[in-house]
Amino acid sequence: MSITHLIFEASLVVQLVMLLLLVVSILSWTLIFFKYAVIKRARSAADQFERRFWSGVDLGDLYKRLSSRRARLEGMELIFESGFREFAQLRKNRNVDSSAAIEGAQRAMRVALNREIDRLENHLSFLATVGSTSPYVGLFGTVWGIMHSFMGLGAVKQATIATVAPGIAEALIATAMGLFAAIPAVVAYNRYSNDVERLISKYDIFAEEFSSILQRQTHSGSGTE
């Protein structure tokens, strides 16, 4: 008996369960590699922007360079560009005081931060769902296969291990496939959730630091337009 033979000899329900788990596993692995690239790129971009931001570059010049490609901005660059743009626009209005301009910049940065949170957390729930449900789907296939195998014993005068073993073996493959789909999804979900939380914390800290810089420049009268 080979695994391929057992799969093709399994009942229709068990085969459908195996096919479902195979499709889910392929989607899960595709998402795992995709999210790995997204998080890696976001972490690298955040580190590069922080080095540039704290290198003493003029914030106005930095804003102009970023605003020229605003549609493609992500992460910390988007948070900075959104906050600086709102602050500069409000400062041009003579009826708006400094504290209102800073509050407007903070609101703009919070909106940008929430967008980044949604982008980074997108599809992570799929990995969580795969990790939590795949073993039960595989177990359903196993239970159905074993039940089908024992029902077939009614037509046999003498039941032996050789008679029962193929049916039980093909049913257990469903559980193995469920675990094969679930384990990588759980590991990836836990890892990526932790990475996303650390990125969000870094974004939030940067937004607070940038707000403090705007407050100091406003109080010192240097301006940022």
Side-chain angles (χ1 to χ4, degrees):
M1 293 186 298
S2 64
I3 294 179
T4 304
H5 176 76
L6 291 174
I7 292 175
F8 283 105
E9 291 298 323
S11 63
L12 178 62
V13 174
V14 177
Q15 288 180 341
L16 290 176
V17 169
M18 292 178 184
L19 179 62
L20 174 62
L21 291 172
L22 178 62
V23 172
V24 168
S25 179
I26 293 174
L27 293 176
S28 177
W29 277 104
T30 302
L31 183 58
I32 287 172
F33 289 118
F34 173 74
K35 294 301 293 185
Y36 173 80
V38 169
I39 294 175
K40 182 180 180 181
R41 184 175 67 247
R43 188 188 299 115
S44 176
D47 292 338
Q48 291 178 6
F49 180 79
E50 275 193 318
R51 288 193 297 268
R52 192 192 322 169
F53 182 84
W54 296 112
S55 64
V57 65
D58 182 81
L59 297 185
D61 293 338
L62 179 60
Y63 167 73
K64 291 177 182 178
R65 288 198 297 269
L66 293 178
S67 61
S68 62
R69 52 184 181 90
R70 179 184 173 192
R72 302 191 303 273
L73 294 181
E74 295 178 351
M76 205 171 286
E77 291 181 338
L78 178 62
I79 295 172
F80 166 79
E81 193 273 342
S82 300
F84 195 98
R85 174 167 42 85
E86 185 69 16
F87 179 79
Q89 290 176 351
L90 291 175
R91 288 279 287 172
K92 292 178 181 178
N93 189 345
R94 297 182 182 275
N95 296 325
V96 178
D97 57 15
S98 300
S99 60
I102 293 174
E103 290 176 0
Q106 291 173 339
R107 286 194 300 270
M109 286 190 290
R110 281 196 297 269
V111 171
L113 176 61
N114 289 332
R115 289 176 181 172
E116 285 304 296
I117 292 174
D118 290 340
R119 184 179 68 87
L120 291 173
E121 291 182 345
N122 191 27
H123 299 312
L124 283 182
S125 59
F126 177 78
L127 292 178
T129 302
V130 171
S132 61
T133 60
S134 292
Y136 296 104
V137 175
L139 183 61
F140 168 76
T142 297
V143 172
W144 185 276
I146 292 176
M147 181 181 66
H148 185 267
S149 178
F150 277 107
M151 289 176 61
L153 293 179
V156 180
K157 294 182 179 180
Q158 184 177 1
T160 62
I161 294 179
T163 305
V164 181
I168 295 178
E170 69 188 27
L172 290 175
I173 295 177
T175 297
M177 292 185 67
L179 294 175
F180 178 79
I183 292 175
V186 171
V187 173
Y189 174 77
N190 292 334
R191 171 65 183 275
Y192 293 161
S193 295
N194 181 63
D195 291 341
V196 169
E197 288 179 2
R198 294 176 63 183
L199 272 171
I200 292 172
S201 177
K202 178 178 282 192
Y203 292 162
D204 192 45
I205 291 173
F206 169 77
E208 293 294 330
E209 292 174 337
F210 184 45
S211 297
S212 299
I213 292 175
L214 293 179
Q215 288 175 350
R216 288 196 300 267
Q217 290 190 357
T218 300
H219 293 156
S220 65
S222 61
T224 56
E225 293 91 352

